[in-house]
Amino acid sequence: MSMRALMIALLLPLAGSVTAAGFNAEKFVANNCARCHDSSVYTRADRRVQSLRQLDTQVRRCDSMVGTKLFEDDINLLVDYLNQRYYHF
Ligand code: HEC
């Protein structure tokens, strides 16, 4: 792969993650949510979130702590992602 093609391949996903359409939940969680807790809080035996509704509430609470002011659509994508990957409600 040429250097130019490599740069484009590396930069495109970054550019996409700032728009609602190109939102990548997995990357977002890894980059923004792992600062305070890693993914083990989603799977621990005594996890607090016990329903889809609580998951939605908690994601919003954490989003406002992070100060990222996510779009409504992106919040929903994050909730879907965490639910599919960890919670399975
Ligand atoms: C400013 C620190 C901070 C950041 C950044 C943060 N969180 Fe949290 N989060 C917390 C705290 C504190 C808890 C409660 C942990 C506990 O109960 O032990 C928590 C708990 C959670 C839980 C519930 C875990 C359970 O017990 O079921 C979820 C889901 C969650 N966070 C999602 C997110 C997502 C998604 C992001 C990124 C948008 C994020 N968090 C970023 C502080 C943060």
Side-chain angles (χ1 to χ4, degrees), residues 7-23:
M7 287 299 287
I8 290 170
L10 289 174
L11 289 175
L12 271 182
L14 285 180
S17 68
V18 293
T19 68
F23 184 74

Side-chain angles (χ1 to χ4, degrees), residues 33 36-37 41 44 47-49 55 58 62 65-66 87:
C33 308
C36 301
H37 50 72
V41 292
R44 58 190 173 162
R47 68 188 185 189
R48 292 194 320 186
V49 167
L55 182 58
Q58 185 62 47
C62 284
M65 279 195 276
V66 188
Y87 286 93

